[in-house]
Amino acid sequence: MFHLFSKRAAAVAAAALCLCMIAAGCGNKDTDTSSIGETSSIVQTTDSAGSEASSSESTSGKETSSKDTSSKASSKESSKAESAAASKAESAKAESSQAAEKANTKPAESTAPAEESKADSSSVKYHAGDTVAVYVKFGHIAMNGQPAKIGAYDYWLSYDASALEYVSSSEQTTSDLKMVNEKEAGMVKIAHIAALGFSDDYTGEKKPTYKVTFKVRKDTDDLGLSGQCPSLAAVSMDGKTTQVLVNNKGLKDTYSDFSVEIE
């Protein structure tokens, strides 16, 4: 604007100078007329330049306004996008919080376990305070295919010391010597000997030779009982010959067993 004003001021000053010169009588008429024409031409040129400058300024203003409008629109779109992203983040955070609350919610306690415990307690085979008898049995005693008597044997009875408590033991047939070692918790070792063989007949089905009594310590289905016969010797019916039937050198036990009864 200042540039345009300066051009217009110069043109007016030039025109005024010409008029002053004409009025003062400087120059001839032709020269004066030419000067007026030149002055008019300068004014027109100056106006044209001013118009072009004004047009340029107007166009520049429009472009600037258009850029500002575009920038504002872009800013609005960016703001909308940021708002939408923030909204999604808040929604995801709320869903995560709800999921965490559900996971931390504890179900209401039920009385069902107590009822199941009662049912289990009544269904177990052995109960605390029961007395059980373990019978050590032998049978099918023979020598060289002929019926024979038991001359001597060792029998080890293992049990769960947390389920059973040893009470007593007693032989179930006549013998010369009997020894029981119950000092080791969870084990009863029996040694049973008859020089001429036990008086009872053990040539047929297995039957008791010894009885071991226990007290049950807790409700359970498993007493942890197992039996092993590490040695067994037989005596002929006339008492003159003996034969080893079971040992730890390869002669396996097929003669002994045990049974459990609640008394």
Side-chain angles (χ1 to χ4, degrees), residues 143-167:
M143 292 173 55
N144 301 317
Q146 298 298 317
K149 298 179 180 180
I150 297 175
Y153 70 83
D154 289 310
Y155 196 87
W156 298 350
L157 186 64
S158 300
Y159 63 94
D160 180 0
S162 69
L164 292 175
E165 178 185 357
Y166 174 82
V167 177

Side-chain angles (χ1 to χ4, degrees), residues 46-65:
T46 303
D47 289 341
S48 176
S51 176
E52 289 176 0
S54 177
S55 175
S56 175
E57 289 180 0
S58 175
T59 301
S60 176
K62 288 181 180 180
E63 289 178 354
T64 302
S65 176

